[in-house]
Amino acid sequence: MTRTDADGALDEALALVSRTPDAGGTGGHRAVPWLRARETAARAGTAVPARTRRVPLADALGEVLTAPLEALSDLPSFDTSAMDGWAVAGPGPWQVRPGGGILAGDEPPAPLGDGEAVRIATGARVPAETTAVIRSEHARESGAQLHAARPVTTGQDIRPRGQECRSGDLLLPVGSLVTPAVLGLAAAAGYDELVTRPRPRVEVLVLGDELLTEGRPHDGLIRDALSPMLGPWITRLGAEVTGTRRIGDDPAGAEALLEAVTGSTADVVITTGGTASGPVDHVHPVLRRAGAELLVDGVAVRPGHPMLLARLGGQEQPHHLVGLPGNPLAAVSGLLTLAEPLLRALAGRRQRPRYTVPVEGDVPGHPYDTRLVPVLLTDEHAVPLRYNGPAMLRGVAAADALAVVPPHGARSGQDLEILDLPWASGGCFT
């Protein structure tokens, strides 16, 4: 990709915020490396004792099995026809049995005599003594006799009892994600309910007095872009959003934030804004008053470096707080860095596999920090998008993923780690 004047301006802006690794840059807090922050968030979720529940199949979609799925019976439970056609016994030609054929769901049919044939439907129980099933298009009737149009092999087009599994076989282990296919398998195996780990519950607290809920920005006020975005995004990460509330920046807002953080029944509280060290940034003081343990206090990533992760509630009933920056793309960075690995671990889901894609064009980098840049994925490359500043959503709204750009940037063709956006990669079944 050809470098532009905008690229040069970005380089200059990044240089202005450069720092040495030990100098802080997050309001005096030592920022941890980006990958270590993600690993810390995943470990925090894994350490929380798992809850389990028994739910009807329809309510298990997107959750994780906490009990193995074992076969309750043989599958199929009897020999069945794999095709519409004829069940035959012995070598042909065969005498066609008078009367109707055998349909799926019929009572067990009478055994076939040697040299006998009967019409049969897909999924129907095969009569005892059947040698094979001949597909309709591979047979012809001549009066009361049936002739095969090609050689017949013993057992052809018969699904034998237990072909897929035997009673007691392990179908899926603990930790398997309940997908639509898993629901189908469970139903076929005779299950009405599954034992799963419920989705983690998340409460969202949007902080700020400058936010409008409707209309155009005016008089120093801006639209709240995070409330409409975070709930659906978190849902796609496999969590249940219990509510979204707005809290002001004044002292009363700080008290309301303390009450919300300490009184929440959610597994995770996600806040937006207030994570830096400005005069109305209340998250750190509130966490100190709440006796929280800071697990991550600043991450060496741009945008989004003032993000944080804290644990509250002690060891018996721990819950977590993820503090996202207030700028929209910085908040997205925080979601992918801390919230996603935490929520996946709390849900019992495996972390996403890591993979790389070569980038098209040079990408400027920060002198010390990782950068997350919106990209479009083609068959061969990750194509960086413009409008990737901390307050911008235009780039990520058009993106398939975010590319992980190391310090000092990347050259065209260099392999970069890719963070899929949940709607582009399938996300959770919710």
Side-chain angles (χ1 to χ4, degrees):
M1 183 173 63
T2 304
R3 292 180 59 84
T4 65
D5 293 340
D7 295 323
L10 179 58
D11 282 338
E12 183 178 352
L14 291 172
L16 290 174
V17 295
S18 67
R19 55 177 176 79
T20 62
D22 296 326
T26 56
H29 306 117
R30 182 183 177 86
V32 301
W34 176 79
L35 183 57
R36 188 189 306 168
R38 284 176 59 84
E39 292 170 346
T40 299
R43 286 197 303 271
T46 303
V48 176
R51 301 192 309 272
T52 62
R53 64 174 185 167
R54 185 177 296 273
V55 293
L57 293 185
D59 296 333
L61 188 64
E63 298 188 353
V64 167
L65 295 179
T66 52
L69 191 71
E70 297 178 343
L72 302 179
S73 63
D74 296 346
L75 282 181
S77 56
F78 46 81
D79 293 351
T80 62
S81 176
M83 294 288 171
D84 292 335
W86 298 86
V88 300
W94 301 270
Q95 189 73 22
V96 176
R97 175 185 289 180
I102 306 170
L103 301 177
D106 282 355
E107 293 293 324
L112 283 178
D114 189 34
E116 191 176 20
V118 65
R119 188 173 289 279
I120 193 167
T122 301
R125 186 190 298 259
V126 171
E129 310 304 329
T130 296
T131 302
V133 170
I134 304 174
R135 303 183 186 192
S136 296
E137 61 269 27
H138 297 162
R140 62 179 177 83
E141 291 183 79
S142 177
Q145 281 197 324
L146 181 75
H147 299 266
R150 61 180 59 187
V152 177
T153 58
T154 300
Q156 74 178 31
D157 287 327
I158 295 175
R159 297 183 183 133
R161 176 174 180 163
Q163 181 185 52
E164 186 168 4
C165 63
R166 289 292 184 180
S167 180
D169 283 355
L170 177 65
L171 301 178
L172 290 171
V174 169
S176 298
L177 179 66
V178 180
T179 65
V182 170
L183 292 180
L185 175 62
Y191 283 84
D192 300 315
E193 297 177 322
L194 293 175
V195 181
T196 63
R197 186 168 180 167
R199 295 182 181 88
R201 297 163 305 191
V202 177
E203 183 175 10
V204 179
L205 305 177
V206 179
L207 312 182
D209 290 328
E210 76 281 13
L211 303 177
L212 296 168
T213 59
E214 60 184 16
R216 300 179 183 180
H218 62 85
D219 301 327
L221 302 177
I222 60 174
R223 277 296 296 270
D224 173 12
L226 295 179
S227 293
M229 177 176 71
L230 290 181
W233 197 311
I234 293 164
T235 299
R236 290 301 297 252
L237 294 180
E240 175 191 352
V241 179
T242 61
T244 299
R245 287 193 281 164
R246 297 181 60 202
I247 294 178
D249 286 330
D250 57 4
E255 294 302 316
L257 178 61
L258 176 63
E259 181 180 349
V261 167
T262 56
S264 178
T265 59
D267 301 299
V268 178
V269 174
I270 293 182
T271 63
T272 69
T275 55
S277 299
V280 293
D281 291 331
H282 299 308
V283 174
H284 281 95
V286 162
L287 290 176
R288 285 194 294 270
R289 292 173 63 188
E293 176 188 2
L294 278 172
L295 305 178
V296 174
D297 192 9
V299 179
V301 66
R302 306 290 170 138
H305 58 285
M307 66 182 74
L308 61 85
L309 171 64
R311 179 165 51 215
L312 302 99
Q315 296 297 323
E316 293 186 0
Q317 291 184 320
H319 63 280
H320 292 82
L321 181 141
V322 176
L324 305 178
N327 278 323
L329 188 57
V332 168
S333 174
L335 276 177
L336 296 176
T337 302
L338 296 178
E340 179 173 357
L342 173 66
L343 292 173
R344 290 185 73 89
L346 287 172
R349 301 178 66 187
R350 294 184 294 272
Q351 298 301 318
R352 291 191 184 277
R354 297 176 64 184
Y355 73 99
T356 62
V357 173
V359 66
E360 182 179 281
D362 295 347
V363 186
H366 187 276
Y368 303 106
D369 292 352
T370 299
R371 284 189 68 214
L372 300 183
V373 177
V375 293
L376 280 176
L377 299 178
T378 69
D379 290 342
E380 297 180 352
H381 295 96
V383 182
L385 297 173
R386 297 176 60 193
Y387 308 107
N388 51 34
M392 298 180 180
L393 287 175
R394 185 172 173 181
V396 74
D400 298 316
L402 269 67
V404 182
V405 181
H408 306 295
R411 304 300 294 177
S412 183
Q414 181 176 336
D415 285 341
L416 297 181
E417 182 174 349
I418 298 297
L419 300 178
D420 288 320
L421 298 177
W423 50 86
S425 59
C428 185
F429 298 103
T430 51

